[in-house]
Each structure stands twice: as structure tokens, then as C-alpha cells.
Amino acid sequence: MKKNFLKPLAFAVSLSLCGVAAAASGTFNVGELDAKIDPCSDFNGFVNAKWVAANPIPADRTRWGSFDALREDSLNVQRQIAETAAKNASSAKPGSIEQKIGYLYATGMNEAAIDKAGFDPIKPQLAQVAALKSYTDVVAYLVRAYAQATPVLFRFGGNADFKDSNKQIAYALQGGLGLPTADYYTKPDYEKLRTAYVAHIAKLLQLTGVSAADAKTQAAAVMKFETRLAAASLLPTELRQPENRYHFVSIADADKVTPHFEWAAFFKAQGAEVNGGFSLSHPKFFAEMDKMLVDVPVADWQAYLRFHAINSAAPYLSKPFQQEDFAFNEQTLNGQKEMKARWKIALDTVNDGMGMALGELYVAKTFSPESKQRAQELVNNLRTAYKARIENLEWMSPATKQKALEKWATFVPKIGYPDKWRDWSGLQLTPDNYFANVRAADKFNYDYMVAKIGKPVDRTEWGMTPQTVNAYYNAQKNEIVFPAAILQPPFFSAQADDGINYGGIGAVIGHEMGHGYDDQGSKFDAQGNNVNWWTDADRKAFEERTARLAAQFDSYEALPGKHVNGRLTMGENIGDLGGLNAAYDALQMALKKNPKEASEKIGGYTQDQRFFLNWARVWRGNIRPEAQLTLLNTDPHAPAQFRAIGAPSNMPAFAQAFQCKSDAQMVRSGDKQVKIW
């Protein structure tokens, strides 16, 4: 189901690449470069324009870059695993992950059975909504919905305490909106999308037998309801701030915020161990929710709950529901032209429900110990380079440097896959009921998450599966994590020269380390606690530099009249800038050990040039304008084309490598040049 509870990590940041150039090998094809474009004027165009023009976005995608091609490669391997598991499920060891993956995938591929069921699977839930008569009934429904892993209205889950990273506590956060952000409910720019959303609500209601007239009335009520929630909700830029994600209260104090919603009863129903308190992260939102319990008519609550019951289940119901879900969420909001192939949809379900189990089989099939060892070497080299950069900072005092180096010393790298695999023995799936399997997996994962509340944090656990082409940093564990699927070209290859590897995976490693020192990660200490380890003067100096970086990205126009939000994307931009500088320093250290490589050109380009070429190649891609607009409003990552140029334009090493003049577009100097880490 579409989830409204927390992802495993409440304060983690990922590389989240929008499009990368996957080459057939680790080498760089200089034939892809556009000689008609001056690299000092438009480096992204120089590296990527020819490829972008030759690689249109597939109809079932909202964007396409060779990172997406890399993801496609990963999906094809996963498909082989899932199809083999489905074929052999009946003869597999009972209760094995192979059998469970086989059941989940096979039932997801059985379109005839899914279509035959129609919306029968959610009729009991719709009947419960229809039976509501008072606000106390609404509260009881909400409590039961969460316990059944069908959450609605707000986000709930467990995560490390921001003030004690060794302890897992409960978090309740704002949620309940069907549009991307609160701005979509009021800003004139999104009036057409609001109209389309109301029509979408009505259409889903009609698919369950609600008359056209009633559906129109209920859809208007849902929009009014969500608009009120939106007015009490923070925007993505505000949500980046740790202080806006954590508000620890006792249960008694939480009940004062929501006198009509008893938290002790809620936690008991979830099986959550909440004794000393929890984070009611967004008090304004929950205060408004409580008011709505008593002043919004029950009929409007029913409309809201009815729609969201249908909406969350729609991808797993018969074709009319799937098609309407696609029409609004993918086509209208993101510009996707066609639905994905059925096998990809079924595989998404496997990844949602049993992703780490699938990862266990994926690693056994694809990842070698040699790759892990080489990646560890690169991590060690980047650690050395980043340490030197901290030690040599001219704007930071010795006292703050000492704290920064303490944090550096406690970085925990995780490479490839977890050291231990999750136990799936409690998950019961069947060979003949897709919707029941999806719900069973949701319930199993929800209970798994809730059971950790009140327990010590498991620092060995991963928040990303090995088959994911991405990487992340978790501030509360102070860890940098690189799944197996990213450790391949164009990021990394044993056959590639150092310039390519350091401009690829080296920069990725540096980027994730940089998150430990970005505008928000820098608010967590070496133990992963949200405490201030800066002097006031150093923090001021840091923020003066980050303000210039925000201004740089604010100036980039992604769509006509639509600019990047430099504050929303700040953390990723700091990660890029610090990470690319550290990777460049690490490359120079590697080249000192290999003078022959340092002096030779490959394909006519030096090692320094190939370093920057591969960095830009990583960010190659196309994206549909609708998807770009959504991401500009919601995504903390800047559009790919600006990440290709943003960090290099601040580096004298780039200008030197390509012999750029001081007034070139790719050269930022004076007050415009940003130097942070």
C-alpha cells in the first residue's frame, strides 16, 4: 500500500541520482563529447548534449539518463531472480525467502485474478468507513487502521532519538495530503492540478459504486479537508531542519495537544513500547487534526477516509483502479506517457514488501568480494583526503576543527550489503492472493518497525537494499552506505583509470561524507546526536558560505520562470562541493603513486580532465517538464544538469584542467566562488 508511516531513517540523505550515463565498460567514450560546445561555457552540454539528444525518454519513464539505464540493468537481474523464484515456488523449501518472493511476484503477475477480484479486497474497509457515526468512531477507525498497517492522516514510525542516538523512539509527523506539498492547495500556479486532483478523487469513488453526483460532493469535501491540513503543514524546506522534525513530549503533554485523540491507547493498539515519551514532531499539525475531529462533519471524514482507503489500494486492485492511479499520479503530475510493464509493477511490489530478502539473492548473484575490497580502498583514500581538507580550513577555529575531526574519526562505511540478513520467517504469503500478500507484507514490515520502538538502535541495519542504485548518509548513525548496485560503471570499474573512478564513485563517497558536514548533518555530533558542536563565530562563517551556495543554485532556471530552490537543495549541493573537492585531492594522491598514469593522456584527455568528465557524465539525463516541476517543489536534490556544473565551477582545478579564462561561465571567482569544506 502507499505508506504513511516512516521510512527506516528519519534523518538520512541520499545521492538520489536523476540520470547517469551508464557506459558498457568503465572507460569513457570521448566520441560522446560535443566538440561544438566550449567546456568552459557549458560543461554539461559539452559532455552530455549529444547523448541526451540521442536518448529520448522511454514512454514508461518520467526521466532517462544512464543512471536510469543502470537501474534498468539492476531490474533485469532482479526480474530473473523473481521469475525463477515464481517458477520454483511450489517446490521451494517451505517458508524460504525464495518461496515467499515467488508467491509475491507470481500473484502480482496474475492479472486475471486481480481483475476478477475488482475492489472486493477493500469492501470490508469501506464498510467500516460507512459505519462511522461520531468523532469517537473516527478515532477508533484511525487507531485500527494503523494497527492493520493501513495508515492515513499522519506519518508514524520508529527511529533513533535525536538526543540519544542509541535509543529508538516513536515519531508522529504531519501527513495526510494527496498533493505533493502544501503549496499545491493554495498557489495559483497549481489551480489546474487542483482541478485534476478533485476529478481524480471523484473518479476513484465512482469506481467503487458511488454515484457521480455524490462523488463530486465528496471530492469537494476531501479537497476542503486536505486544504485545511495543508495550512497546518510545513513545507519541504522547513522540514529539512532537525528542529522541525523533533519535538519530544510525554504522553500526557501530547494529549494536551490532541485532547480528542489519546496517544496511550494508540500506542497500545500498535504494540509500541512508549514509556518515557515520543516525538510529536509537528504540534501545529496535530492540534489542527484534533480540532478537525470535532468540528468537521463525520460525513466529510468519511469522504476523506473512503477516498484514501481506495487511493492507497488502487495500484493493487483491478485495471480500472490501476489506470486511474497512473493517470493522475504518473501522467498528470509527472508527465509519464505509458504505464510500466506488468513485470516491473510486480517487481516494485516485491521490493516494497521484501526488498532486503530480494537483495540477499541479488548479492549472491552479482557482487564479488573483490568489488567490496576495492571500494573499501577508495573509501579509505577519501577519508584521508577529507581529513586533510578539514585540518586545512582557514575559516574554522581549532576548537570546532577538533569536533569535526572527532566526527570524521567515527564515520562508519557500509559497502555492498549488510553483514547480517533479516529474518522473514514470520511472514505468511499464499500462492493465489495478490492483495492479501501485499497486506501481509505491509503488516509484517509495520510490526517489525514498531517492535524496535523502545529498544536500542541496531547500528548494523541498513536503510537501503543492495539492489538500489544509490547511496546515503545517516546522521544519527554517522554512517555512509554504498549498496552493491552502485559499485559498477560509470561510477566504478576495476578496468578504469583513476581519473574515471575518482570522478565517479570517489565523488559519490566524498558526497556522502560531505553530508556529515552539510547545513543539517553538521547539527549532529560524532555519536549521531542533535547537539551544537560549533563556536558561534564558526557557525556564522559557515552560514555565510552556504548562503553564497544557495544564491548560486537559486540562479539556475530549470523550467521557464521556475528556478532551483537553493535552500531546499542546500544539503546535496554542499555534499557535491565538498565531495568533489575531496575526490580530486584523493586523485592527486593516487597519481603521485603512479607517475606514469599521471603523465599520460587517455583518449586525448588528462587524468584531471577525465575526472571532471566522468563527474558530468554521472549527471547526464532527460526529464519530462511535469516531473521536473514536481521535483523542484519536493526534491532536496538539484536538477542533474546543474549538479554537473555547480561544484566544478567553484573549483580552480577545473579551470586549470580545461584552460578556462577567468571570465568564462564555468569559472566562479571572487565573492561568487564558494569554498566550504
Side-chain angles (χ1 to χ4, degrees):
M1 307 299 156
K2 297 173 184 175
K3 311 298 191 300
N4 213 4
F5 44 86
L6 287 181
K7 294 179 181 178
L9 306 172
F11 202 84
V13 280
S14 69
L15 188 66
S16 194
L17 308 163
C18 293
V20 206
S25 71
T27 59
F28 190 98
N29 180 5
V30 296
E32 294 178 341
L33 302 176
D34 192 335
K36 298 189 298 295
I37 298 176
D38 178 8
C40 296
S41 297
D42 178 7
F43 192 58
N44 178 63
F46 173 68
V47 178
N48 296 325
K50 285 174 66 175
W51 188 95
V52 167
N55 289 272
I57 304 170
D60 70 341
R61 294 273 188 163
T62 60
R63 56 193 184 188
W64 187 253
S66 70
F67 191 159
D68 298 285
L70 203 58
R71 284 177 173 147
E72 194 79 6
D73 291 343
S74 177
L75 285 177
N76 285 325
V77 174
Q78 296 170 51
R79 181 186 187 183
Q80 294 173 9
I81 295 169
E83 287 184 346
T84 299
K87 181 180 178 181
N88 300 327
S90 60
S91 59
K93 180 182 177 181
S96 63
I97 59 172
E98 290 85 353
Q99 184 181 66
K100 291 172 182 178
I101 288 171
Y103 283 165
L104 188 53
Y105 184 78
T107 54
M109 292 297 294
N110 191 346
E111 294 181 86
I114 295 168
D115 287 340
K116 183 179 179 181
F119 71 98
D120 286 352
I122 62 170
K123 284 182 178 177
Q125 189 176 2
L126 295 179
Q128 292 173 9
V129 173
L132 302 177
K133 291 182 170 52
S134 66
Y135 88 80
T136 56
D137 290 344
V138 171
V139 171
Y141 174 89
L142 291 171
V143 171
R144 184 170 59 249
Y146 280 84
Q148 294 172 347
T150 56
V152 64
L153 192 58
F154 60 88
R155 297 173 63 215
F156 172 72
N159 196 69
D161 190 330
F162 273 28
K163 299 301 182 182
D164 181 0
S165 64
N166 291 314
K167 182 176 66 177
Q168 193 99 343
I169 65 168
Y171 284 77
L173 303 96
Q174 68 181 48
L177 305 181
L179 290 173
T181 74
D183 276 346
Y184 280 72
Y185 290 86
T186 55
K187 284 197 171 181
D189 289 4
Y190 308 115
E191 184 176 357
K192 289 183 179 179
L193 284 176
R194 288 195 291 274
T195 300
Y197 182 48
V198 172
H200 168 63
I201 297 169
K203 181 66 180 292
L204 280 182
L205 291 169
Q206 288 179 70
L207 288 175
T208 63
V210 178
S211 71
D214 285 349
K216 183 178 180 181
T217 300
Q218 291 185 44
V222 173
M223 174 54 82
K224 181 179 179 182
F225 187 103
E226 291 189 11
T227 300
R228 186 167 166 184
L229 284 181
S233 299
L234 298 178
L235 293 170
T237 304
E238 297 169 312
L239 289 171
R240 291 195 64 249
Q241 311 295 325
E243 55 269 29
N244 288 336
R245 298 172 67 90
Y246 181 84
H247 180 68
F248 193 85
V249 295
S250 67
I251 292 177
D253 285 341
D255 285 345
K256 292 176 183 176
V257 177
T258 61
H260 302 95
F261 189 92
E262 296 181 11
W263 288 99
F266 175 80
F267 293 135
K268 182 178 180 180
Q270 312 313 307
E273 184 182 321
V274 179
N275 297 317
F278 70 104
S279 177
L280 190 70
S281 297
H282 305 121
K284 179 183 176 182
F285 174 88
F286 286 99
E288 187 65 17
M289 179 194 84
D290 190 78
K291 292 176 184 175
M292 293 173 72
L293 284 170
V294 291
D295 67 24
V296 171
V298 172
D300 289 356
W301 272 99
Q302 288 175 306
Y304 174 79
L305 297 172
R306 181 178 293 115
F307 162 66
H308 281 283
I310 303 166
N311 188 51
S312 66
Y316 315 103
L317 300 176
S318 58
K319 278 190 181 67
F321 291 89
Q322 296 174 45
Q323 290 166 346
E324 178 56 31
D325 178 70
F326 166 78
F328 180 73
N329 290 302
E330 303 303 335
Q331 201 163 42
T332 300
L333 280 180
N334 293 298
Q336 189 170 317
K337 304 302 182 186
E338 296 178 1
M339 291 181 69
K340 290 188 289 189
R342 186 65 207 176
W343 70 266
K344 291 183 180 179
I345 294 172
L347 198 56
D348 283 346
T349 300
V350 174
N351 272 299
D352 286 344
M354 295 188 68
M356 199 57 80
L358 181 61
E360 186 174 348
L361 303 182
Y362 175 88
V363 166
K365 188 177 180 70
T366 64
F367 195 62
S368 69
E370 292 78 17
S371 294
K372 188 167 187 172
Q373 181 180 352
R374 177 61 177 140
Q376 183 64 62
E377 292 172 4
L378 288 165
V379 168
N380 292 341
N381 293 345
L382 263 295
R383 280 172 58 89
T384 300
Y386 221 109
K387 180 183 181 184
R389 294 193 68 82
I390 294 171
E391 290 172 333
N392 293 325
L393 288 175
E394 48 83 19
W395 57 268
M396 182 178 280
S397 70
T400 304
K401 277 186 186 179
Q402 180 181 348
K403 293 295 185 180
L405 290 169
E406 286 176 10
K407 186 166 188 176
W408 169 89
T410 62
F411 271 135
V412 177
K414 295 180 178 179
I415 298 169
Y417 53 89
D419 292 331
K420 64 178 182 180
W421 295 105
R422 184 176 164 188
D423 179 10
W424 296 87
S425 58
L427 175 60
Q428 301 296 320
L429 301 180
T430 72
D432 56 7
N433 193 325
Y434 180 53
F435 192 89
N437 284 343
V438 172
R439 279 276 167 96
D442 284 348
K443 174 65 172 166
F444 180 78
N445 289 320
Y446 181 74
D447 289 347
Y448 176 79
M449 176 268 294
V450 168
K452 292 185 286 187
I453 295 172
K455 306 292 194 303
V457 169
D458 181 358
R459 292 183 176 267
T460 68
E461 191 172 46
W462 280 45
M464 193 174 279
T465 64
Q467 65 271 27
T468 302
V469 185
N470 211 330
Y472 72 90
Y473 169 76
N474 180 1
Q476 291 168 280
K477 293 181 179 179
N478 200 28
E479 64 183 9
I480 48 177
V481 185
F482 308 97
I486 201 172
L487 299 172
Q488 54 185 313
F491 295 100
F492 167 75
S493 170
Q495 287 73 47
D497 51 285
D498 281 332
I500 294 298
N501 276 336
Y502 280 96
I505 195 64
V508 171
I509 294 167
H511 170 99
E512 299 306 339
M513 289 181 179
H515 276 308
Y517 304 103
D518 70 21
D519 60 320
Q520 304 310 323
S522 61
K523 296 176 181 178
F524 291 78
D525 66 10
Q527 288 71 45
N529 294 316
N530 179 208
V531 297
N532 181 21
W533 46 271
W534 296 68
T535 67
D536 290 344
D538 287 340
R539 192 73 197 184
K540 181 180 179 182
F542 174 69
E543 290 177 352
E544 287 173 351
R545 285 160 173 76
T546 61
R548 292 204 299 273
L549 189 62
Q552 176 185 343
F553 278 82
D554 282 342
S555 72
Y556 293 142
E557 188 176 29
L559 294 169
K562 299 290 183 182
H563 285 245
V564 177
N565 183 335
R567 290 292 174 186
L568 178 60
T569 60
M570 176 74 78
E572 301 300 324
N573 302 332
I574 293 173
D576 283 353
L577 182 58
L580 194 63
N581 271 289
Y584 179 80
D585 290 353
L587 171 64
Q588 304 313 306
M589 290 188 288
L591 293 177
K592 283 183 180 179
K593 297 177 183 178
N594 190 352
K596 185 175 183 294
E597 183 183 36
S599 63
E600 290 181 350
K601 288 186 176 182
I602 301 176
Y605 290 90
T606 66
Q607 283 294 292
D608 281 15
Q609 289 173 326
R610 288 171 68 80
F611 170 86
F612 289 109
L613 290 173
N614 202 35
W615 168 256
R617 178 173 68 156
V618 160
W619 300 110
R620 140 183 319 176
N622 273 314
I623 186 168
R624 301 193 191 280
E626 298 91 341
Q628 185 65 87
L629 179 61
T630 299
L631 292 175
L632 284 175
N633 292 320
T634 62
D635 191 4
H637 306 84
Q641 68 269 32
F642 302 125
R643 296 182 75 176
I645 64 173
S649 68
N650 284 301
M651 295 174 63
F654 173 84
Q656 182 177 351
F658 289 92
Q659 298 180 328
C660 301
K661 295 180 179 179
S662 59
D663 60 350
Q665 286 180 267
M666 278 297 298
V667 178
R668 301 178 68 84
S669 57
D671 291 342
K672 290 186 176 181
Q673 185 184 51
V674 184
K675 298 178 182 178
I676 304 177
W677 296 102

